[in-house]
Amino acid sequence: MSTREKQLELITGLFCDLLRESNPNRLQVGLSDLFVQINPTTGEVSLFSDEDELLGSCTIFSWAKGNDSDYQAVVAEALPILREAVAILEQRGWWQHNLFERPFSVELVSQDFETIEELLFLDDDLVKVTTPLLQGLNEDLDKFLADLLGDLK
């Protein structure tokens, strides 16, 4: 298993722990915002509720850079993994659980809880789609159009 796959598994597991029956700290009340925070010194990834309550954490040692000055480098390394984990759970319908109230968002935040990037936004009528969900779409559309137009010739 590659380092990327291990990181993805850890992050996905961290999100899944929010609802896991065996987790004594699992979500019990509705949540409208979920904040993801990375500590660049330790590599700890923490999930916070919309009331800034710690919901869970895990450590990804390859993201531990030893000091806060490398924060941007950690974010640049972590962001694709976080996006992919959130997208995988969205594809599985995991965010449809009734404890995730609408509108609902997942955001990567700084140590001061300032938004760095919105990873997911769900509303009853709107889903903000991230890049991993759209991967391969251009190729599929090009193939479809080629097949469609090929029949016209």
Side-chain angles (χ1 to χ4, degrees):
M1 182 179 281
S2 73
T3 301
R4 179 180 175 78
E5 290 170 333
K6 289 177 187 174
Q7 292 170 348
L8 186 59
E9 185 177 310
L10 282 170
I11 296 298
T12 305
L14 178 61
F15 285 121
C16 288
D17 278 348
L18 293 174
L19 300 178
R20 192 165 284 136
E21 291 292 324
S22 61
N23 179 4
N25 299 322
R26 70 181 178 276
L27 280 180
Q28 301 291 324
V29 296
L31 192 64
S32 60
D33 294 301
L34 183 60
F35 300 109
V36 181
Q37 191 178 73
I38 302 171
N39 182 328
T41 305
T42 64
E44 183 177 42
V45 180
S46 302
L47 300 179
F48 290 90
S49 71
D50 41 15
E51 296 176 1
D52 298 340
E53 175 188 357
L54 179 63
L55 300 173
S57 65
C58 70
T59 301
I60 299 182
F61 293 104
S62 61
W63 294 354
K65 302 298 182 194
N67 60 49
D68 289 340
S69 64
D70 291 329
Y71 188 70
Q72 294 303 324
V74 172
V75 167
E77 183 179 346
L79 200 50
I81 302 292
L82 293 170
R83 284 183 189 137
E84 188 173 350
V86 168
I88 286 170
L89 292 172
E90 170 62 19
Q91 289 172 342
R92 293 180 188 165
W94 192 81
W95 301 111
Q96 301 307 316
H97 192 280
N98 61 0
L99 286 175
F100 301 120
E101 300 172 348
R102 300 296 187 261
F104 175 73
S105 68
V106 179
E107 298 178 17
L108 176 62
V109 296
S110 68
Q111 301 295 329
D112 300 327
F113 283 89
E114 293 180 21
T115 300
I116 296 172
E117 181 160 326
E118 186 173 65
L119 302 170
L120 177 74
F121 178 79
L122 299 173
D123 199 350
D124 288 336
D125 299 325
L126 175 70
V127 176
K128 182 177 179 183
V129 180
T130 58
T131 304
L133 290 175
L134 296 176
Q135 283 180 340
L137 184 63
N138 282 341
E139 293 83 18
D140 290 343
L141 287 174
D142 289 344
K143 183 179 182 298
F144 173 75
L145 285 174
D147 291 346
L148 183 67
L149 296 176
D151 291 343
L152 295 174
K153 292 181 181 179

